[in-house]
Amino acid sequence: MIKVQSQDFDIGAELAALSHGDTTIGGVTSFVGYVRDLAGDESVSAMTLEHYPGMTEKMLGDIEARAQARWPLAATLIIHRYGDLKPGDRIVLVACASAHRQASFEACNFLIDWLKTEAPFWKQERTAAGPRWVESRATDATAAQRWQTPKPAK
Amino acid sequence: MIKVQSQDFDIGAELAALSHGDTTIGGVTSFVGYVRDLAGDESVSAMTLEHYPGMTEKMLGDIEARAQARWPLAATLIIHRYGDLKPGDRIVLVACASAHRQASFEACNFLIDWLKTEAPFWKQERTAAGPRWVESRATDATAAQRWQTPKPAK
Amino acid sequence: MKLLYFAWLRTRTGLGEEEIALPQDVRTVRDLVDWLRQRGPGFSAAFENMKVVRAAVNQSYVQLDHPVSEGDEIAFFPPVTGG
Amino acid sequence: MKLLYFAWLRTRTGLGEEEIALPQDVRTVRDLVDWLRQRGPGFSAAFENMKVVRAAVNQSYVQLDHPVSEGDEIAFFPPVTGG
């Protein structure tokens, strides 16, 4: 399931809904991303997340479908916020439920890595020097590329 | 932080407490383990988790310290339940907060893998054929052993 | 066709989106970028370095040699930084 | 010394825990296991196959050649199955 929203989310309620009623699920791995107060060595007071409505949902849906094709997953969830956020705020939740622990770990890691390189979101941070657009990190591209070699969980 | 308890836990509240007030945290990876209704091809109606009070806390604390020494973690949490559980119930929560996404993923995966091979818990499942002690799985030992070669996150 | 600009491409062009008629002799995304550059300093600054600009046609990532046609939704934006 | 038995070792021995005096000539966990086996069919069944029995002395995993002494807390249990 894909949710793109400006409001915050309730992790406990979202994970409970994800696994509710499916007793074949052995584990749920989730990742929650937060706004940090530091970018490089500059202090960040707030940020705005801009996105491309329509394409965002399409890309997240594509990435989710790829994970579901690759690992045995009972359910997946991606929630990504947009709009004004401040340090400590939740930005993103990715969760994967599976009968198998390792599949849920790998799929969750895959989803967040690809989301970071494909989902059309842009962060603008507010620092003492004024607002600035965050530059993409080469390490994110590298993290995503390691999934290019098919190597599904046992 | 280590919690060994019979009562259920609130994932949202636990994760909120874990990261609360620390705006250097960029991500929290968590794993929740659930009671499955199937063991092999037998239906499981309930289970009892027995543990070794004292040693459980000691081993979980040791494993947590190892993870904190190996990855840059802002906070870690392990909650493990014991007592009577039924399919769909939460058994365990492992969560790792870090400035760095990949560190939180690897540390969380490491913790659950080691917990499964070192923490003194034993599952007794109730099936149509009567109660039976769950046998340890070779795949769990293999999963834990892959962390023997030091290879921390970049 | 509909053109969309995000993040600093929006700031530099001064536009979030616009409707234009397919310009003459524009067959590909690259042709379109060349045409846009000639519209003024904001546009030439936005499309100065195509190594840091991504393009999507109808909400799918494309290369610069991808064809464009009337009715397409074409978006330009920097490498993404969500998550 | 305090002896603890968990899971099916508890079921087979019929005991969760007990206090015993260190038996004569028992120097290691292996000596203790040999001594326990002679206590009756439940104990010999519990310690029949040491490949599926783990031992801990004072709440740390040990090998069978680990020394034991008066005052130790010694636990026997199957490979763990938590998580």
Side-chain angles (χ1 to χ4, degrees):
Chain A
M1 179 179 290
I2 304 295
K3 299 184 191 184
V4 181
Q5 61 190 48
S6 60
Q7 70 270 27
D8 194 12
F9 46 82
D10 177 334
I11 301 171
E14 296 292 349
L15 295 188
L18 189 72
S19 64
H20 183 73
D22 185 347
T23 49
T24 67
I25 292 172
V28 175
T29 302
S30 65
F31 177 82
V32 181
Y34 295 85
V35 180
R36 291 170 62 188
D37 62 2
L38 211 65
D41 49 6
E42 279 212 78
S43 179
V44 173
S45 59
M47 80 156 50
T48 303
L49 253 168
E50 181 174 334
H51 78 120
Y52 180 175
M55 184 168 171
T56 302
E57 289 80 356
K58 179 176 184 291
M59 293 312 301
L60 293 180
D62 286 355
I63 297 167
E64 185 180 45
R66 258 183 282 159
Q68 288 178 343
R70 185 157 170 179
W71 287 278
L73 302 172
T76 53
L77 172 66
I78 304 175
I79 305 179
H80 204 303
R81 295 176 69 189
Y82 59 85
D84 294 328
L85 300 169
K86 56 184 196 311
D89 280 355
R90 285 175 277 268
I91 304 176
V92 63
L93 170 66
V94 173
C96 293
S98 176
H100 307 289
R101 168 169 101 258
Q102 202 52 31
S104 78
F105 261 101
E106 292 187 14
C108 187
N109 206 166
F110 168 93
L111 282 174
I112 186 70
D113 282 353
W114 276 112
L115 185 157
K116 286 208 165 247
T117 56
E118 297 203 352
F121 286 92
W122 303 276
K123 287 175 182 152
Q124 190 183 44
E125 294 171 337
R126 273 187 285 292
T127 68
R132 64 167 182 202
W133 292 99
V134 175
E135 283 185 37
S136 72
R137 300 190 310 162
T139 52
D140 284 333
T142 309
Q145 273 157 12
R146 72 198 162 104
W147 301 105
Q148 297 275 20
T149 315
K151 191 180 61 108
K154 267 70 63 186
Chain B
M1 180 178 289
I2 304 296
K3 299 183 190 184
V4 181
Q5 60 190 48
S6 60
Q7 70 269 29
D8 194 12
F9 47 82
D10 177 333
I11 301 171
E14 295 291 348
L15 295 189
L18 189 71
S19 64
H20 183 72
D22 185 347
T23 47
T24 67
I25 293 172
V28 174
T29 302
S30 66
F31 177 82
V32 181
Y34 295 86
V35 180
R36 292 171 58 189
D37 62 2
L38 211 65
D41 49 6
E42 279 212 78
S43 180
V44 173
S45 60
M47 80 155 50
T48 303
L49 254 169
E50 181 175 335
H51 77 120
Y52 180 176
M55 184 167 171
T56 302
E57 289 80 357
K58 181 176 183 293
M59 293 311 300
L60 293 180
D62 286 355
I63 297 166
E64 185 180 46
R66 257 182 283 160
Q68 289 178 343
R70 186 159 169 177
W71 287 278
L73 301 172
T76 54
L77 172 66
I78 303 175
I79 305 179
H80 204 302
R81 295 176 68 189
Y82 59 84
D84 294 328
L85 299 169
K86 56 184 197 311
D89 281 354
R90 286 175 277 268
I91 304 176
V92 64
L93 169 66
V94 174
C96 293
S98 176
H100 307 289
R101 169 170 100 257
Q102 202 52 30
S104 78
F105 260 101
E106 292 187 14
C108 186
N109 206 167
F110 168 93
L111 282 173
I112 186 69
D113 282 353
W114 276 112
L115 185 157
K116 287 212 164 243
T117 55
E118 296 202 353
F121 286 93
W122 302 276
K123 287 176 182 152
Q124 189 182 46
E125 294 171 339
R126 274 185 285 292
T127 68
R132 64 166 182 202
W133 292 99
V134 174
E135 283 185 36
S136 73
R137 299 190 310 162
T139 51
D140 283 333
T142 309
Q145 273 158 12
R146 72 198 161 102
W147 300 105
Q148 297 275 21
T149 313
K151 192 179 61 106
K154 267 72 61 185
Chain C
M1 62 207 319
K2 184 178 183 178
L3 302 187
L4 298 163
Y5 309 93
F6 292 98
W8 53 257
L9 277 106
R10 180 174 49 71
T11 321
R12 291 188 190 172
T13 61
L15 279 176
E17 62 177 86
E18 60 177 332
E19 286 283 345
I20 64 163
L22 180 65
Q24 209 165 357
D25 298 329
V26 165
R27 307 259 182 284
T28 66
V29 175
R30 186 178 283 109
D31 295 340
L32 181 61
V33 167
D34 289 339
W35 182 85
L36 288 167
R37 278 178 176 142
Q38 300 174 23
R39 287 169 114 193
F43 278 88
S44 64
F47 293 101
E48 189 181 15
N49 177 9
M50 289 305 288
K51 282 183 185 155
V52 290
V53 176
R54 298 282 171 274
V57 172
N58 299 324
Q59 305 190 349
S60 289
Y61 287 104
V62 297
Q63 301 295 316
L64 292 180
D65 58 0
H66 193 276
V68 297
S69 51
E70 200 61 62
D72 279 349
E73 174 176 308
I74 302 168
F76 295 104
F77 45 78
V80 305
T81 57
Chain D
M1 62 206 319
K2 186 178 183 178
L3 302 186
L4 298 162
Y5 309 94
F6 293 98
W8 52 256
L9 278 105
R10 179 174 50 72
T11 321
R12 291 188 190 171
T13 60
L15 279 176
E17 64 177 84
E18 60 177 332
E19 287 282 344
I20 63 163
L22 180 64
Q24 208 166 358
D25 299 329
V26 165
R27 308 259 182 284
T28 66
V29 175
R30 185 179 282 110
D31 295 342
L32 180 62
V33 168
D34 288 339
W35 182 84
L36 287 166
R37 278 177 175 142
Q38 298 176 25
R39 286 169 115 194
F43 279 88
S44 64
F47 293 100
E48 190 179 14
N49 176 10
M50 290 304 289
K51 282 184 187 157
V52 291
V53 176
R54 298 283 171 274
V57 172
N58 300 325
Q59 305 188 351
S60 289
Y61 288 103
V62 297
Q63 302 294 316
L64 293 179
D65 58 0
H66 192 275
V68 298
S69 51
E70 200 61 62
D72 279 349
E73 175 176 305
I74 302 168
F76 296 103
F77 45 78
V80 305
T81 58

